[in-house]
Amino acid sequence: MLLKRMDYNGHKEEANYWEVSDLVFGPVNLIVGQNATGKTRIMNVLKNVTRQVAWQAPRLYHGETTLTFVQEEVGLFEYRLHIRDGKVLSETIEMDEKTVLDREGQMATFGMRVAAS
């Protein structure tokens, strides 16, 4: 699975609001820029969301993240996570624009991927 795109915003209503929009990745990526422009923050967002999904990190506290992947057998795969005050407000997984997980708070619905014959 190859990460293709990332969107993120954190602390939306606060003075330390930060966002990255439509960051597109290729097979190999080099992130460069001046000091204090967000390079480390981008890497931390990717690391923390990955750990959160894999249940390997303490809870995240704020942020809205969308990660788009591509995989040969599946096509496009999009993961969206919205966390506020340490609680998951929503979480969605779509495969080829079909929702397979739709979570709002503690309630979730699951869809099934049906293979074409």
Side-chain angles (χ1 to χ4, degrees), residues 7-116:
D7 295 291
Y8 171 83
N9 69 64
H11 305 280
K12 205 169 197 171
E13 291 86 26
E14 299 175 23
N16 60 343
Y17 176 72
W18 185 82
E19 83 174 297
V20 61
S21 181
D22 202 25
L23 178 59
V24 177
F25 295 95
V28 177
N29 301 279
L30 177 64
I31 299 174
V32 296
Q34 295 180 348
N35 291 345
T37 57
K39 299 177 303 294
T40 300
R41 195 173 241 179
I42 288 169
M43 299 307 296
N44 285 337
V45 167
L46 290 171
K47 175 185 73 175
N48 291 337
V49 169
T50 301
R51 287 181 174 175
Q52 179 80 21
V53 170
W55 294 83
Q56 296 177 350
R59 284 187 164 186
L60 300 175
Y61 289 97
H62 294 289
E64 296 177 48
T65 308
T66 300
L67 301 175
T68 304
F69 301 88
V70 66
Q71 185 174 4
E72 283 184 32
E73 310 85 45
V74 177
L76 284 179
F77 175 94
E78 188 168 273
Y79 176 73
R80 290 187 297 277
L81 178 64
H82 181 191
I83 296 175
R84 181 71 58 214
D85 297 323
K87 295 186 174 118
V88 175
L89 299 181
S90 65
E91 185 175 30
T92 306
I93 297 174
E94 291 183 357
M95 293 179 168
D96 284 333
E97 299 181 8
K98 294 177 184 159
T99 302
V100 294
L101 170 68
D102 190 8
R103 174 181 172 191
E104 294 289 330
Q106 297 299 313
M107 301 298 294
T109 55
F110 298 90
M112 294 189 59
R113 183 168 170 80
V114 179

